[in-house]
Amino acid sequence: IVSIVGNSDSGKTTLVEKLIPELKSRGYRVATIKHTPHGMTLGDQDTDSWRHLQAGSEATVTSSQTQMVLIKPVAPDVTLNEIASIFGENYDIILAEGFKRDNTPKIEIHRSESGPPLKDIKKLIAIVTDEPWETETGQFSLDDVKGLADLLEEGFIKPRGNRISLYINNTPVPLSPFPKEVITNILTAMASSLKGVAEVESLEIFLSKKD
């Protein structure tokens, strides 16, 4: 997950719109998450779904022939990782717009007319700007989408080409190389031994343990 952050009207959405086709042209699967501090009114657009939620449904999906929309009430302090867990592991990268206070790597977009860059941004990996700044963080021009995509590809996508992810109680758990190898070998061997299972290219396990 990499967040695109910046002041209002700095061009966050435009940058995401440019990065998506560039990364897709390289063969990668991209998902996005948009943060809005003002709340949403999806219920007004879909009265039946809103009625389902009012009746107590934990989540509801509206599905058509071409798309589906998930509506799920969340706590005010929900983290970006918790939101991203809804996607599963089917994407090579998730671009999040906003979430400047979350603990994920960030790219800031800055324009001279929008004032100084943001302060106290943790895990800032690059700044996209129309003017140079004295900083150790890598800088890209507003038009250097390919360079920015190279950074994401080499730093975040390729290193996770062969990956295993562990979530416990909806929270990702970091794994060092040894437990990664052990878990991968055990799960692959178990799945391969089951009748009718072809070569294992991906594997998902969900465990719910109740007292």
Side-chain angles (χ1 to χ4, degrees):
I1 308 171
V2 175
S3 294
I4 308 299
V5 301
N7 292 313
S8 297
D9 300 321
S10 58
K12 296 186 292 292
T13 301
T14 300
L15 181 59
V16 171
E17 286 178 320
K18 292 179 179 179
L19 279 171
I20 293 170
E22 176 63 31
L23 291 169
K24 285 179 67 67
S25 72
R26 303 182 185 200
Y28 298 120
R29 298 163 297 176
V30 182
T32 61
I33 298 173
K34 163 73 176 179
H35 179 261
T36 172
H38 308 298
M40 294 179 291
T41 57
L42 291 176
D44 295 339
Q45 302 173 26
D46 190 340
T47 303
D48 291 341
S49 293
W50 181 249
R51 289 171 63 184
H52 294 178
L53 294 170
Q54 290 295 97
S57 175
E58 298 289 339
T60 183
V61 170
T62 299
S63 177
S64 71
Q65 293 182 340
T66 58
Q67 60 186 353
M68 62 180 180
V69 176
L70 168 67
I71 305 175
K72 178 179 171 64
V74 296
D77 59 349
V78 63
T79 67
L80 181 52
N81 276 318
E82 289 172 329
I83 298 171
S85 67
I86 295 172
F87 286 128
E89 293 290 327
N90 293 322
Y91 304 94
D92 296 302
I93 190 168
I94 297 173
L95 299 177
E97 183 181 333
F99 300 93
K100 62 185 177 183
R101 300 303 176 198
D102 207 275
N103 194 35
T104 52
K106 298 172 187 69
I107 296 170
E108 179 178 356
I109 180 166
H110 166 264
R111 294 178 185 270
S112 55
E113 64 266 23
S114 63
L118 300 172
K119 294 183 178 180
D120 302 323
I121 298 298
K122 297 180 179 179
K123 294 188 177 182
L124 185 66
I125 61 171
I127 181 168
V128 180
T129 178
D130 59 358
E131 60 181 352
W133 284 87
E134 292 186 7
T135 173
E136 297 180 358
T137 304
Q139 296 187 39
F140 296 83
S141 69
L142 296 176
D143 298 323
D144 191 9
V145 177
K146 290 186 180 296
L148 201 55
D150 288 341
L151 173 69
L152 295 175
E153 183 177 33
E154 297 299 328
F156 296 92
I157 298 177
K158 284 185 176 180
R160 286 175 51 83
N162 295 318
R163 65 184 185 268
I164 178 170
S165 301
L166 176 64
Y167 292 81
I168 297 179
N169 301 331
N170 293 322
T171 301
V173 178
L175 296 173
S176 62
F178 179 70
K180 280 184 178 180
E181 182 178 359
V182 170
I183 294 172
T184 299
N185 292 340
I186 291 175
L187 293 180
T188 302
M190 291 175 59
S192 299
S193 68
L194 298 175
K195 185 177 180 180
V197 173
E199 181 181 357
V200 178
E201 296 182 353
S202 66
L203 186 152
E204 296 180 28
I205 292 180
F206 177 81
L207 170 66
S208 178
K209 188 175 181 181
K210 304 291 186 183
D211 290 334

